[in-house]
Structure formats: C-alpha cells, structure tokens
Amino acid sequence: SLISISSAQVHKQLNNASTMLRILQHQVRAQARHGAFSPVVQNQIRQIWGLAQMWEGWIANRFNTIDEGRLKLIGPDRITSEWICRLEGQVGLHRPHHPALTVIHNYNSLPWLFQTNRGTAPTDGVELFAIDASVANGIKDTGVMRHLSLSGGFKRLQYINFENSPDITDDALTQGIINVKTCAFLGLANCPNVTQQGVQDIVSSLPYLKLLSLPEDVAPETIAFNGTLIKTLPPLTAFILDGETLAVPN
C-alpha cells in the first residue's frame, strides 16, 4: 500500500519523544541519588526509552524497503524518486516536453502519482537525473543498496548526493551506488561511517565520476584516482537542487 506521509515527520516526533525521555531519565537518575525515585521507576523509564528507539528504527527500515508490486508498476527511476522524497530529500527528473529539469522535494508532487495510485502504469518517459539526499532524514544502507542496485533503470542518473547521511557505510557504496555507472558527481561529506577503502572502491568503479566530496576522515591524497580527472570538493559544497536549476561548484 502507498504511504503519503513523510517519514521525516514521523522521525521528528520520535526524536522529540526520545529526547524528552532521555531528559526525564537523567532527571530520574539525579533524583534517585537523593532517594527521590526507586530503582523500579528508573527501570520503567529505561524500558520506555528502549521501546521508543526500537520503534524509530522500525520506521526507518520500513521507509527504506521496496514494494515489489509498486516497482513492477512504475519502474526503478520512479520508485527511487519516491523513496528519496518520502525521506524529505529531493530529486531532479528529466520529463518529455519539459526542457528544464523538474525538481521535486514533496512526495505528493511527484507527477505520476495520480495515474499510478489507481493502478495504471505510467506512460510518460520520466528519467531520474539527480538525487539530493543531503537534507533527507533516515537514509539507510538498506535503502541505498535496494534501490540503486535495481536493474533496468538509472540510464541518466548523474548526480548523487548523500552528504550528511550518518547511517550509511561502505556497503551503501559498494553494493548500491557502484551500480550507477553513469554517476558523474558523488557527495559523501559528513558521512562518518564511510571509510577510505569504501571511497577507493567506488572511485575505481565509476568510469564517469568527475566531482567527489569526501567524508571528513578521508583525505584526498589517500585515494588513488588511477589517472582520472576527479575533482575533490570540501564538505557542504556538493550540488544542490534549487527550483529548476542544478547548482554544481566549479
């Protein structure tokens, strides 16, 4: 079934609840030292906090899965666009009879929803050109691997920005992004769990890669670029989608 609610909205509510529980837990501990609360009450607070964290993790994983029926109906480019927009990222689409890039950041604004929500396969030739997940919430390895390893799509996907994604690791690169051979720009700054080895593996496997932003702990001089003209960018200068423009640093 289709879900129009943004997962980021759910995440925000869960994060708020987790923060409140964490503060309450600290208060309980502080007061318990003075005999204000019993160990039983403290244990109950810990259990509630644990349940909130488990629920948050379940929501994140749910939004990083693929509905096989939906995939069969709309194809890899559209289902990946839906995934990014549900997580409050944005995508750039090439659409027939639209000379400018169509930038979508609201899931409910995706142009094929009205038709496909009725079970009708889309007839337009939409192609995914850019992914900007730098402001997305809840990007996971599983989502990257499942979506970007889909066959039969991504013939024009050139810009992939996963900056500020703390939960992705080398697996997202070597089992997901590595399949997008058309990739020319890759944003990985502020991805603390991506390592030098993961970056090296992806650089060696993307023949058209020209622009690359690196995680903080990966220095450009540690990467063997094999003679290719790849320009490394400092953090937070990755391309962004703004209106109908694609802003890429020179």
Side-chain angles (χ1 to χ4, degrees):
S1 60
L2 297 179
I3 307 174
S4 59
I5 186 174
S6 164
S7 72
Q9 294 172 337
V10 178
H11 279 296
K12 288 176 183 176
Q13 294 299 322
L14 288 169
N15 284 333
N16 289 339
S18 295
T19 299
M20 292 176 64
L21 286 168
R22 193 176 297 112
I23 292 171
L24 180 59
Q25 187 180 46
H26 289 317
Q27 291 175 341
V28 167
R29 286 174 177 171
Q31 296 190 42
R33 285 195 290 269
H34 297 88
F37 289 105
S38 69
V40 174
V41 174
Q42 294 182 60
N43 186 55
Q44 290 174 338
I45 294 295
R46 283 194 295 268
Q47 290 178 352
I48 295 172
W49 185 22
L51 287 172
Q53 291 179 312
M54 288 175 59
W55 176 246
E56 184 178 3
W58 183 87
I59 290 291
N61 289 329
R62 175 66 183 85
F63 278 91
N64 280 274
T65 59
I66 292 178
D67 183 324
E68 294 298 330
R70 183 74 176 162
L71 171 62
K72 185 176 180 180
L73 179 68
I74 66 175
D77 286 48
R78 292 180 184 83
I79 205 162
T80 300
S81 299
E82 292 185 355
W83 165 58
I84 293 295
C85 289
R86 278 205 181 100
L87 294 174
E88 290 200 338
Q90 48 191 353
V91 295
L93 306 173
H94 276 299
R95 301 172 64 192
H97 313 302
H98 289 74
L101 193 68
T102 299
V103 177
I104 305 289
H105 59 83
N106 184 329
Y107 174 85
N108 292 310
S109 297
L110 290 166
W112 54 83
L113 287 186
F114 179 78
Q115 183 180 16
T116 59
N117 283 358
R118 299 181 175 185
T120 303
T123 56
D124 57 353
V126 169
E127 292 180 298
L128 181 59
F129 180 74
I131 290 173
D132 180 9
S134 61
V135 294
N137 196 334
I139 297 289
K140 304 290 185 183
D141 274 348
T142 51
V144 179
M145 292 186 293
R146 289 166 178 163
H147 288 84
L148 296 188
S149 62
L150 293 171
S151 60
F154 315 124
K155 295 178 181 178
R156 298 188 69 174
L157 179 53
Q158 297 183 29
Y159 294 88
I160 302 176
N161 186 2
F162 282 118
E163 288 194 346
N164 310 317
S165 298
D167 295 322
I168 68 169
T169 70
D170 292 351
D171 288 343
L173 278 62
T174 58
Q175 299 180 51
I177 298 170
I178 199 170
N179 298 292
V180 186
K181 300 303 183 183
T182 53
C183 180
F185 171 85
L186 179 59
L188 297 172
N190 298 322
C191 296
N193 292 309
V194 171
T195 70
Q196 183 271 341
Q197 185 59 54
V199 174
Q200 182 63 71
D201 290 342
I202 201 74
V203 163
S204 303
S205 303
L206 297 179
Y208 299 105
L209 187 63
K210 298 299 180 187
L211 294 172
L212 174 68
S213 71
L214 294 170
E216 184 178 12
D217 294 335
V218 179
E221 57 268 21
T222 66
I223 305 300
F225 292 111
N226 300 324
T228 56
L229 299 176
I230 298 177
K231 180 179 179 181
T232 57
L233 304 170
L236 303 180
T237 59
F239 84 93
I240 57 172
L241 294 172
D242 181 18
E244 292 186 343
T245 65
L246 182 66
V248 182
N250 294 322

